[in-house]
Amino acid sequence: MNIFVSCGEVSGDIYAGGFIREALRISPSAKIWGMLGSEGVKAGGTASWSYEELKLMGLLEILPAIPRILRLKRNIAREIMSVKPDAVVLIDCPDFHLMLAKSLRKSGYSGKIVSLIPPTVWAWRAGRVKNLRRDFDVCLPLFSFEHEFLISMGVNSRWKSHPLVREIESVKVSEKFRERFENKRVIALMPGSRRYDIRFHLDILLGTAEILRGKGYCPVFSVAEGLSSCLADEVRERASSGGFDVWEGSGRELMLGSEAVAGVSGTVSIEAMLLRRFMAVIYNMRRLNYAILKRLVHVRHISIPNMLTERLVYPELLCDDATPERIVSELECYLNDETVRHETDKALQEARLSMGEYDAFKFWAECVVNP
């Protein structure tokens, strides 16, 4: 069997690695190639292109890169049409991958095209649903509510679970962590993994840490794995200069070893939920950007745990509400009020159950490899 796989960022490469590993377990003789990163290669794939080719940030980088990206799309499509793999698996990066799928169908490709982590048409740009119906044989979303939406829109969607469910099961608190923070009330502070995250949230979390320390807690800053060296240095140096602890190991271990979490909205909120930890979710942005997004994005909440329960389980502190005082207030409301804690933990358990239990990587591989 011959399978083309494409991803365009770190998270996509992780998903590619999990998928490739399971696909080769089911079909050991399969040839898997495409646009991959280190995880995809480590799992057994061949990188004909590096996923770094799509790693762009911001409008100023994207605009001058458009001719190069179009050329990349043409080259990939030409190679796929030459090889004619049995399946094409396109992971996330919807703007590029929807364009590639359309090009393949127009060129006469009749093999299976799979959208692994399809675009968030349930939140915005719903018009892309027609692309999913027209060009893709199957979509494999991350969440049950995405699956239900896609089905309601006539898209062939399949879902059993989120890959983090199995990954989180192996997280443990090491002896090193226990010794370092013994008898301390640790609060995990997660400033994110991107330049934008650090720029707009580090000062807020430093202010939060100052208040928490004054209340007897031990705030610990996470230096995210995969963070660029210059951003890692910034988090490390600014936290250390304030006299705060820094944890450079697994962010998941830090959250598991803490009493609660405060951090930037993203995958970390899903990880916190699966680890049974309360989180104050923050997201700071320019007021104009926020006003525009409110008109474009049609969701009640920004945090996935809140979407799963359709209520505000994790407080969402956006823009001017993302202040150190508000963050600490929300954390203490949970930590110090037994009734609030009980109701919140009950809702988080409901959200966890909605994430499924099956091995997602295995399911994805079965959907692609099996007829």
Side-chain angles (χ1 to χ4, degrees):
M1 187 171 196
N2 190 298
I3 305 172
F4 173 89
V5 179
S6 176
C7 64
E9 57 185 7
V10 174
S11 61
D13 184 37
I14 292 170
Y15 292 132
F19 164 76
I20 291 170
R21 196 170 290 110
E22 285 299 317
L24 289 174
R25 186 187 62 77
I26 296 172
S27 179
S29 62
K31 178 184 178 181
I32 303 179
W33 58 288
M35 185 158 64
L36 303 169
S38 59
E39 291 300 315
V41 172
K42 195 188 306 179
T46 299
S48 301
W49 296 269
S50 169
Y51 82 107
E52 294 280 348
E53 301 219 32
L54 280 185
K55 204 173 179 183
L56 300 171
M57 290 295 292
L59 194 62
L60 292 178
E61 287 185 38
I62 292 172
L63 288 177
I66 287 175
R68 179 179 61 80
I69 291 172
L70 292 175
R71 188 163 56 250
L72 174 66
K73 186 264 295 182
R74 287 194 297 270
N75 290 340
I76 291 176
R78 188 180 301 117
E79 188 64 20
I80 290 173
M81 292 307 298
S82 172
V83 174
K84 290 187 171 58
D86 299 286
V88 169
V89 179
L90 306 178
I91 304 175
D92 207 354
C93 293
D95 289 324
F96 181 79
H97 285 144
L98 290 180
M99 180 173 61
L100 176 59
K102 180 179 179 180
S103 177
L104 289 174
R105 291 306 191 202
K106 281 193 168 184
S107 298
Y109 178 74
S110 58
K112 182 187 291 185
I113 302 184
V114 179
S115 177
L116 203 169
I117 313 175
T120 54
V121 288
W122 47 272
W124 75 312
R125 295 178 67 185
R128 293 181 293 181
V129 164
K130 69 177 184 296
N131 299 74
L132 298 178
R133 283 196 300 254
R134 182 190 65 216
D135 300 327
F136 292 86
D137 294 278
V138 64
C139 290
L140 302 174
L142 291 175
F143 302 101
S144 56
F145 68 85
E146 291 184 290
H147 168 66
E148 290 163 5
F149 179 86
L150 290 170
I151 290 292
S152 73
M153 299 299 289
V155 176
N156 182 25
S157 173
R158 299 187 65 189
W159 180 87
K160 277 196 176 180
S161 64
H162 191 291
L164 278 178
V165 172
R166 287 298 177 91
E167 288 182 39
I168 291 294
E169 290 176 354
S170 63
V171 177
K172 298 287 188 296
V173 175
S174 64
E175 193 59 36
K176 174 186 174 183
F177 186 97
R178 294 184 194 280
E179 290 176 359
R180 181 173 171 186
F181 299 111
E182 187 177 7
N183 299 322
K184 293 182 179 180
R185 302 190 67 187
V186 174
I187 303 294
L189 300 179
M190 318 296 288
S193 59
R194 299 171 300 179
R195 185 179 304 279
Y196 183 96
D197 296 340
I198 305 301
R199 177 184 175 190
F200 283 91
H201 302 93
L202 184 55
D203 284 337
I204 294 170
L205 291 177
L206 286 166
T208 301
E210 192 67 52
I211 298 173
L212 287 170
R213 181 167 57 187
K215 290 177 174 286
Y217 295 98
C218 175
V220 181
F221 282 84
S222 171
V223 176
E225 295 169 299
L227 198 61
S228 68
S229 57
C230 62
L231 291 176
D233 287 343
E234 182 178 354
V235 175
R236 190 183 300 113
E237 291 167 9
R238 294 195 63 195
S240 299
S241 65
F244 303 117
D245 285 291
V246 173
W247 179 253
E248 304 205 35
S250 163
R252 295 172 184 175
E253 181 182 357
L254 170 59
M255 289 191 285
L256 184 60
S258 70
E259 292 190 20
V261 181
V264 182
S265 177
T267 303
V268 67
S269 68
I270 306 170
E271 294 172 330
M273 175 193 70
L274 291 171
L275 291 167
R276 296 172 168 80
R277 291 297 178 267
F278 176 78
M279 179 174 174
V281 176
I282 65 172
Y283 201 77
N284 189 25
M285 67 179 81
R286 294 185 178 90
R287 271 289 169 189
L288 178 59
N289 290 350
Y290 182 57
I292 294 171
L293 279 176
K294 282 191 72 174
R295 288 181 173 273
L296 294 176
V297 180
H298 308 292
V299 292
R300 292 174 57 193
H301 307 297
I302 66 165
S303 177
I304 292 294
N306 293 339
M307 292 182 190
L308 292 171
T309 57
E310 297 184 346
R311 52 184 150 167
L312 208 62
V313 181
Y314 281 170
E316 297 179 351
L317 305 177
L318 312 179
C319 298
D320 294 342
D321 289 332
T323 65
E325 293 77 14
R326 280 292 305 278
I327 295 169
V328 174
S329 174
E330 295 288 356
L331 292 173
E332 289 204 301
C333 180
Y334 171 80
L335 292 169
N336 298 334
D337 189 318
E338 190 173 336
T339 301
V340 171
R341 190 163 62 253
H342 174 75
E343 290 300 318
T344 301
D345 290 347
K346 183 179 175 182
L348 288 175
Q349 174 63 9
E350 177 188 329
R352 284 193 295 273
L353 291 174
S354 71
M355 295 279 282
E357 295 181 358
Y358 196 82
D359 186 324
F361 292 135
K362 180 181 178 183
F363 176 67
W364 294 346
E366 290 169 345
C367 289
V368 175
V369 175
N370 296 334

